[in-house]
Amino acid sequence: MRKVKSMSLTILCMAVILGIGYLVIMESGRNILENGIMLEETDYEGASLNIFYGKIEEDIELFPWNYYPGDEAEAGWESADGIHPFFQYTVLAGNGEDLVEEELKSLQSWYLCQMIADQAGSEPSEVWSLFDKRQHTLMDEIRMVENSPVGPIFFYQDTLPIGKKQYQVRIAFTQWNIISFICIEDREAIPSDSQAAAKGQTPGMGQQAANGAGARGGNQASDKRGGSKESRQKWEEGKNKLVKILEGSEGQMAEYFAYMSFLRDWDYTVFYVGDKYVNCHLKSLQWLEQIWEGDREKDEELSVILKEMEEIETTENGAVDVYGISDDKAKEKDTDSESEDMEISEVVGIPEAGDTEVSVEPIGEPDPSFSYQIVELKDMILLLMQGESTIGIYYDPVTQEFCGYNYFYEY
């Protein structure tokens, strides 16, 4: 009898312990999910598909920005070991000129100023003048990290006053390619007209002095999804508009995906078209604007570039040379940049994003080679296009504009 009582008591204690443990585990799991990425299913009226999208609630830096060395890192175009960017080198080499570092640095700065100006609705000369006043070029403000999985990565990050607005600008590049570009209006940096009037400031120009060169990057932006009711409504309207654009531009987006994949795989930044070099990444931003506006006609420059790309991809070993010299020959001239010749495998997702994973679900069937995933960040939307490689497109749902792109690498 005592044995039966003891056994019953033991079983009861085990049941109580297991029950308490189960409740603790369930509660802990619920908290983890609440603090992680929340995947939601959203039905859009009139849409022939369901969209699964993620929200990143925390300040998680995506590649390559998880390797950003910080604003305290030394700025400069060239490292102590002589490492510096070489994109645009082919422009000089194609003209048969020797490498002139100051000229190369100016060409690179102008290349990036063109992209910033396009996103800000300005002229490249206006953006250039911002750095001219500082008596140096944009490339003199870059910071480098050498120990990334893809070799040296260079970063530029600042808030720039262009016209009557402030723009957050974040650019990352390897020695031979621009792998991340973001230029988005910083609405938090500019007070309303009523606030500016109360402080005796000119409307639209508030806090420019306070921000200056010291206001850095996207981390300081507040969560625009959780702001006022009006702000949230604009955000949702912009997201709905993005879905409609994707639904109606399957073929164009497939072409765009192939174009961006080519630039990444072949490290092309310019193409020689007619009598001038065309900025390939500027052309990609302008192409996104065309897609947004519903314009299906490609301009002459883009048509020529796409034709050249097709010839390169169909020619054995990419023997077609659109620069006058091949990239391989250009890279052979740089004996100090062997690390940049490493192979980079195809992309399968977002690496090292704080152990956060976002599942990729297809939106309809735009093309069997890739799928879409909408991820809401704190101050913008990241549209992931994933196929043999993964390319991110940044989108501002408030202004309803694309504001950059990002390459993701597997390593």
Side-chain angles (χ1 to χ4, degrees):
M1 190 66 177
R2 289 182 179 179
K3 290 183 179 180
V4 174
K5 290 183 178 180
S6 298
M7 186 176 296
S8 299
L9 184 59
T10 301
I11 293 174
L12 178 61
C13 291
M14 289 176 60
V16 171
I17 292 172
L18 290 174
I20 294 174
Y22 176 79
L23 292 175
V24 170
I25 292 172
M26 289 294 292
E27 182 64 17
S28 299
R30 187 181 65 82
N31 290 334
I32 291 172
L33 288 174
E34 287 179 350
N35 293 327
I37 291 180
M38 302 299 293
L39 296 179
E40 301 180 16
E41 180 177 344
T42 304
D43 296 319
Y44 290 88
E45 184 178 353
S48 59
L49 45 87
N50 290 328
I51 300 175
F52 294 91
Y53 66 96
K55 290 183 181 179
I56 298 182
E57 303 288 354
E58 301 173 358
D59 288 326
I60 295 174
E61 292 290 6
L62 305 179
F63 180 86
W65 291 96
N66 52 334
Y67 287 95
Y68 181 63
D71 294 341
E72 68 281 357
E74 182 179 357
W77 182 70
E78 187 175 55
S79 73
D81 297 327
I83 300 174
H84 59 78
F86 272 86
F87 75 93
Q88 288 291 79
Y89 173 79
T90 46
V91 174
L92 293 176
N95 292 330
E97 301 177 11
D98 294 330
L99 174 63
V100 180
E101 292 188 355
E102 287 301 317
E103 186 174 358
L104 176 58
K105 185 165 57 175
S106 294
L107 283 171
Q108 293 168 341
S109 297
W110 182 253
Y111 187 99
L112 298 176
C113 285
Q114 286 180 309
M115 297 172 66
I116 296 170
D118 179 78
Q119 293 301 107
S122 179
E123 295 295 328
S125 57
E126 181 181 356
V127 180
W128 178 275
S129 67
L130 296 176
F131 301 97
D132 201 32
K133 292 176 182 177
R134 302 176 187 178
Q135 298 184 341
H136 59 239
T137 68
L138 182 153
M139 298 300 291
D140 289 299
E141 297 186 16
I142 64 176
R143 291 168 169 79
M144 184 188 73
V145 60
E146 294 187 53
N147 59 346
S148 87
V150 296
I153 301 181
F154 306 85
F155 298 90
Y156 172 79
Q157 180 172 262
D158 203 349
T159 299
L160 299 177
I162 304 175
K164 294 184 178 181
K165 298 179 180 179
Q166 298 272 343
Y167 288 88
Q168 296 176 30
V169 179
R170 307 182 81 191
I171 309 172
F173 39 96
T174 61
Q175 286 184 291
W176 294 94
N177 208 345
I178 318 298
I179 62 175
S180 179
F181 176 84
I182 305 171
C183 181
I184 184 172
E185 182 183 340
D186 187 359
R187 289 174 290 276
E188 298 298 320
I190 304 177
S192 64
D193 291 353
S194 59
Q195 289 175 320
K199 295 180 180 180
Q201 299 172 335
T202 302
M205 295 297 289
Q207 296 189 3
Q208 179 173 320
N211 287 326
R216 302 285 179 178
N219 286 340
Q220 294 183 354
S222 65
D223 188 348
K224 295 178 177 57
R225 291 170 297 168
S228 65
K229 182 178 180 181
E230 180 182 1
S231 177
R232 180 63 196 177
Q233 183 178 358
K234 287 183 178 180
W235 182 284
E236 292 299 327
E237 289 175 355
K239 187 169 64 174
N240 293 345
K241 179 70 177 295
L242 174 62
V243 173
K244 292 180 180 179
I245 293 296
L246 295 177
E247 285 184 306
S249 57
E250 294 92 342
Q252 285 180 296
M253 292 301 289
E255 284 186 289
Y256 178 84
F257 181 79
Y259 174 83
M260 295 297 288
S261 297
F262 177 90
L263 298 185
R264 195 283 305 271
D265 294 339
W266 290 78
D267 281 339
Y268 273 86
T269 57
V270 293
F271 264 85
Y272 192 72
V273 178
D275 58 350
K276 66 177 181 179
Y277 287 96
V278 176
N279 183 326
C280 289
H281 289 105
L282 172 62
K283 188 59 63 177
S284 77
L285 298 174
Q286 293 173 342
W287 193 0
L288 283 175
E289 293 172 13
Q290 283 185 274
I291 294 174
W292 185 261
E293 296 296 330
D295 186 357
R296 297 182 179 275
E297 294 294 327
K298 300 178 181 66
D299 61 43
E300 184 177 353
E301 291 179 345
L302 180 58
S303 298
V304 171
I305 292 174
L306 292 175
K307 183 178 179 181
E308 295 280 6
M309 281 173 43
E310 184 178 358
E311 291 180 1
I312 292 172
E313 290 181 320
T314 56
T315 301
E316 185 177 0
N317 297 323
V320 175
D321 180 10
V322 297
Y323 289 119
I325 69 167
S326 69
D327 272 359
D328 290 337
K329 290 182 180 179
K331 292 180 182 180
E332 288 173 2
K333 293 178 179 292
D334 177 28
T335 57
D336 295 328
S337 61
E338 296 296 329
S339 61
E340 192 60 26
D341 295 332
M342 64 184 293
E343 286 190 11
I344 301 174
S345 62
E346 295 297 333
V347 178
V348 297
I350 304 177
E352 294 193 17
D355 295 330
T356 300
E357 296 182 356
V358 179
S359 63
V360 176
E361 298 289 344
I363 295 182
E365 296 180 354
D367 187 274
S369 64
F370 70 89
S371 60
Y372 290 121
Q373 169 73 11
I374 292 178
V375 181
E376 292 191 59
L377 307 178
K378 282 185 172 294
D379 54 355
M380 67 187 83
I381 283 177
L382 175 63
L383 173 66
L384 289 175
M385 303 175 68
Q386 183 174 17
E388 292 183 356
S389 59
T390 296
I391 298 169
I393 301 175
Y394 289 105
Y395 169 70
D396 185 347
V398 177
T399 60
Q400 297 187 13
E401 295 175 328
F402 292 112
C403 52
Y405 68 89
N406 201 96
Y407 289 119
F408 295 103
Y409 293 85
E410 179 191 47
Y411 41 78

